[in-house]
Amino acid sequence: MDSQALILKAEQTHCLTEDELLHLLQDDSADEAIFQAADRVRQKYVGNEVHLRALIEFTNICKNNCLYCGLRAQNPCVHRYRMSEDDIVALAQKAVQYGYKTVVLQGGEDPAFTTEKMVSVLQKIKPLGLAITLSLGERLYEDYQAFKAAGADRYLLRIETTDKALYEKYNPAMSFENRLRCLRDLKSLGYEVGTGILVGLPEQSLRSIAKDILFFKDLGADMIGLGPFIPNPQTPLKDAPQPVLEPALKVMALTRLLLPDVNIPATTAMETLAPNGRIKALQSGANVVMPNITEGEERQNYALYPGKAGALDTPLAFRDKLTAKLTEIGRPVSTGYGWHKIKH
Ligand code: 5AD
Ligand code: SF4
C-alpha cells in the first residue's frame, strides 16, 4: 500500500500494523498529510476545546541517573530545590484562581516525598475541587493505591522507549519490567494513565517507534505525551545531534490516528524546538496544554533540557498569551475537567 492509502486506512479504522506504521514513519513526504489527517481525527473525536493542566514542578531532586536528563542525580550543576507542603498547596490554590481545573504535581524521584507526605499534600489539595495528576515516577503498588485513595485521579509515567535494551542503557539501575509493572498497577487502580516516549534518542530505530505506538494502544493509555529528545550539555548525551520538531510531531499525529479519543498534550519540548511548535502540535492532533505555574527560581531550575520554552514568563503572562493564541486559531479553552472518558 502507498502512504496515502495507509493514512486513509488509519483515519477510518484507527488500526495499522507495525510494518504499516514503519512505512509511514520512513516516508517524509507523507508528513503534511499525516498532520492534516490527525487534525481531522482530533476534531471528530475530542472536538475543538483545549484542556489546560496547571503544572507544578515541586522538586527537582532525583535519585535516578537517566542519561538524557538534566535533573539526573550525578549532575552537580543543578541548583536543587524541594518545595514545602505549604508551598505546593499555595500553588494549587493559585491554579484555582487562574481558572485551571487540573493540577499536575511533577517531580523527580525524590525520596523525601514519602507516601505519608504525598498523601498529606493530596488531602490538602483535593478539597479545592481540582482534578489531580501525579508525575513522580516509579513507586510501589501500595503507594499508588494510597495516592489514589487520597484523591489522585491521573498519573503520568512515560515508558520513554519500548526498546528494552535501549531503555536500560539510558536508565541505568532502572528496569524496563518495573516500569511496565508501574503502568499496569496504575491502570488496575483506576487511574487515567498517561505514558509516552522521547523521540530522537540516539540509536532509537523507527521500528521501535512503531512498536511504541502499538504499545500505547495495548496498554489502553488515556493520555500520551510525546517529546523530542533535546540534548542537555550537562549530561552524557550532550553530543547527540540537535533535534528538529517534525519527527516528534509525526509520532504524535500517528498516535492520534491510532488512539483517536485520548488526551494528547502539545509539549513544552515541542515549543522549545520551534517558535510556534505548540500551535503546530495543536493543529496536528494535540488537544491539551500544560501551562507551568511554578514560580521564581524554581521555574528556571527545573531544567530537564536547555532553552525550555516559557521559563522566563510569569504564570499569568503565559496564560494570557496562550489564551490569545488559542482564540486566534479557533480553539476555545475548555471549562471542564477534560477526562478521557466522561465520568458518571
Ligand atoms: N529532552 C526532552 N525531554 C526530556 N525528558 C527528560 N530529559 C529530556 C530531554 N533531554 C523527559 C522524559 C521524562 C519527562 C519528565 O521529561 O521523557 O519522562
Ligand atoms: Fe529523574 Fe525523571 Fe530525570 Fe530520570 S527523567 S533523571 S527519573 S527526573
Side-chain angles (χ1 to χ4, degrees):
M1 261 197 232
D2 67 5
S3 292
Q4 291 312 315
L6 288 177
I7 295 168
L8 192 65
K9 178 181 172 195
E11 186 170 351
Q12 290 176 345
T13 68
H14 314 298
C15 284
L16 290 178
T17 64
E18 185 183 313
D19 284 335
E20 289 170 339
L21 276 167
L22 181 63
H23 178 97
L24 288 178
L25 285 165
Q26 285 168 336
D27 179 5
D28 289 346
S29 72
D31 288 12
E32 218 29 69
I34 292 173
F35 298 155
Q36 287 170 17
D39 198 41
R40 288 190 294 273
V41 169
R42 185 270 310 152
Q43 215 273 332
K44 180 171 167 194
Y45 281 82
V46 294
N48 281 335
E49 287 193 337
V50 175
H51 302 289
L52 304 185
R53 324 289 200 194
L55 180 67
I56 301 175
E57 295 162 332
F58 67 93
T59 174
N60 71 353
I61 295 172
C62 187
K63 66 176 161 70
N64 292 328
N65 266 302
C66 306
L67 264 55
Y68 42 76
C69 177
L71 301 187
R72 62 201 306 275
Q74 285 167 19
N75 180 4
C77 309
V78 186
H79 182 269
R80 303 280 174 177
Y81 70 86
R82 174 183 286 143
M83 287 183 194
S84 68
E85 271 186 55
D86 287 349
D87 289 345
I88 303 171
V89 177
L91 277 177
Q93 277 160 345
K94 286 194 183 174
V96 177
Q97 286 161 19
Y98 299 149
Y100 295 124
K101 293 282 192 187
T102 295
V103 274
V104 183
L105 305 183
Q106 185 160 73
E109 293 197 10
D110 179 350
F113 284 91
T114 58
T115 317
E116 295 68 34
K117 194 163 173 176
M118 277 317 299
V119 164
S120 164
V121 170
L122 289 164
Q123 285 171 341
K124 288 180 188 155
I125 293 181
K126 203 58 195 173
L128 302 177
L130 293 161
I132 305 178
T133 306
L134 295 179
S135 174
L136 39 143
E138 297 181 14
R139 307 283 292 225
L140 301 174
Y141 179 88
E142 290 72 21
D143 289 3
Y144 292 146
Q145 193 174 35
F147 301 160
K148 187 87 190 12
D153 301 286
R154 310 182 180 126
Y155 204 103
L156 307 178
L157 185 72
R158 288 185 179 171
I159 191 74
E160 315 292 0
T161 170
T162 58
D163 178 335
K164 179 174 153 63
L166 206 61
Y167 180 88
E168 290 178 355
K169 176 170 176 178
Y170 291 143
N171 302 274
M174 294 171 80
S175 101
F176 184 70
E177 296 312 321
N178 195 49
R179 202 138 186 108
L180 285 180
R181 191 272 303 160
C182 289
L183 286 167
R184 292 188 183 125
D185 283 355
L186 290 162
K187 263 312 286 183
S188 76
L189 283 163
Y191 282 88
E192 286 202 350
V193 176
T195 191
I197 60 161
L198 281 168
V199 178
L201 286 167
E203 296 172 59
Q204 182 183 38
S205 70
L206 291 180
R207 182 169 290 282
S208 83
I209 291 179
K211 289 186 173 136
D212 296 339
I213 298 173
L214 294 175
F215 168 80
F216 304 152
K217 231 175 142 70
D218 273 0
L219 178 72
D222 300 287
M223 309 171 278
I224 320 271
L226 288 325
F229 160 61
I230 304 175
N232 185 323
Q234 298 168 356
T235 64
L237 294 185
K238 61 180 183 302
D239 296 325
Q242 277 307 311
V244 286
L245 178 62
E246 282 67 23
L249 214 51
K250 185 170 184 179
V251 178
M252 189 198 76
L254 288 168
T255 300
R256 170 62 73 201
L257 292 177
L258 265 65
L259 293 91
D261 67 359
V262 295
N263 283 319
I264 301 184
T267 52
T268 306
M270 290 178 173
E271 181 75 6
T272 301
L273 286 193
N276 249 346
R278 190 179 282 118
I279 295 295
K280 181 79 186 126
L282 287 167
Q283 295 176 319
S284 309
N287 70 323
V288 170
V289 176
M290 295 168 62
N292 187 354
I293 63 161
T294 314
E295 295 175 353
E297 258 177 66
E298 283 91 349
R299 194 175 171 96
Q300 270 125 73
N301 288 328
Y302 202 89
L304 304 164
Y305 48 80
K308 192 165 132 193
L312 298 173
D313 281 335
T314 65
L316 268 180
F318 180 88
R319 192 202 58 188
D320 292 346
K321 263 202 284 188
L322 177 68
T323 309
K325 274 196 198 172
L326 292 176
T327 309
E328 243 172 68
I329 60 163
R331 301 286 290 277
V333 171
S334 161
T335 53
Y337 286 101
W339 302 110
H340 174 209
K341 299 205 171 84
I342 305 294
K343 287 204 166 178
H344 296 288

